[in-house]
Amino acid sequence: MSETLEESLPPAARPITRAVLEIDEYASGLGWDQPARLFALVDTAALLKNEPALARQLGLEPGTTDQFTPIEQDEVPKGTPLDTFLGTIAWPDAVAGCALVVERLILPPTAEAKLPEGVSEKELTAWVAKHPERQEVRMTVAVLRDGTRETALRLRQKDSPREVLTGPSLVPGLAEALLTTFA
């Protein structure tokens, strides 16, 4: 099987990975317990060419190519389910991709096997929140129009740039939901 140039690059050399790590670093600087944040990913070279004033405002250097500039969007409405909110988004052609930052509680597989059955979503959420093995995680998931994906995961208990996990298929459901915003 032959690899494309993009696939043969070290992970942090991929433009989408650099964008995800930049957004993760930004979110980390805001601290934990933050609302979800949505970003448009714009081709940096196109932004410099087509919107030079905005590029200057964002501090972009002329000659910067082969990367994406994340542009934070309006706040995700509180109280609106994420899937409902994502269903309302349509991106203009200038947007090459998008990214979403959300915080969630996760359980290890051993605890997931003991999930209570026949309970409401609210009761299940309360059960997970009280579970002694729960962990808080910040997920930064990005997708491009062509289906390329990347994710950065940061555990609250290991809140360090050196402990951020990256990979294209770490949160496949959220990546799929983001891809639908380009349909």
Side-chain angles (χ1 to χ4, degrees):
M1 177 167 88
S2 68
E3 286 184 292
T4 66
L5 176 61
E6 177 83 1
E7 291 169 333
S8 65
L9 293 172
R14 294 178 41 198
I16 192 170
T17 305
R18 288 194 306 267
V20 163
L21 290 172
E22 181 181 339
I23 294 167
D24 172 75
E25 182 179 344
Y26 168 75
S28 177
L30 299 172
W32 286 87
D33 305 318
Q34 296 292 314
R37 296 180 183 281
L38 181 67
F39 296 82
L41 298 178
V42 179
D43 178 272
T44 303
L47 184 62
L48 285 162
K49 178 182 174 188
N50 301 326
E51 299 286 343
L54 178 58
R56 278 191 303 278
Q57 184 179 350
L58 295 172
L60 299 177
E61 299 290 327
T64 306
T65 61
D66 193 32
Q67 69 183 45
F68 298 104
T69 299
I71 301 174
E72 188 168 7
Q73 304 300 293
D74 291 336
E75 192 171 296
V76 176
K78 291 182 175 124
T80 302
L82 201 51
D83 56 344
T84 301
F85 170 70
L86 292 176
T88 66
I89 296 173
W91 298 103
D93 291 341
V95 174
C98 66
L100 184 71
V101 179
V102 293
E103 295 177 12
R104 294 291 185 259
L105 293 175
I106 60 170
L107 295 174
T110 54
E112 287 182 12
K114 300 172 188 170
L115 289 173
E117 293 183 27
V119 297
S120 70
E121 188 173 332
K122 187 176 181 179
E123 291 169 320
L124 182 59
T125 300
W127 183 84
V128 170
K130 292 178 184 174
H131 197 283
E133 294 179 83
R134 75 185 179 285
Q135 292 193 36
E136 292 177 74
V137 64
R138 181 183 301 120
M139 301 177 280
T140 303
V141 180
V143 299
L144 300 179
R145 283 184 185 272
D146 68 5
T148 303
R149 318 154 177 230
E150 188 62 83
T151 301
L153 291 178
R154 182 185 292 248
L155 294 172
R156 189 171 191 158
Q157 75 180 76
K158 294 184 177 186
D159 193 359
S160 160
R162 292 187 170 272
E163 298 288 339
V164 175
L165 301 173
T166 59
S169 57
L170 295 175
V171 188
L174 188 50
E176 285 297 324
L178 287 173
L179 279 171
T180 65
T181 66
F182 292 101

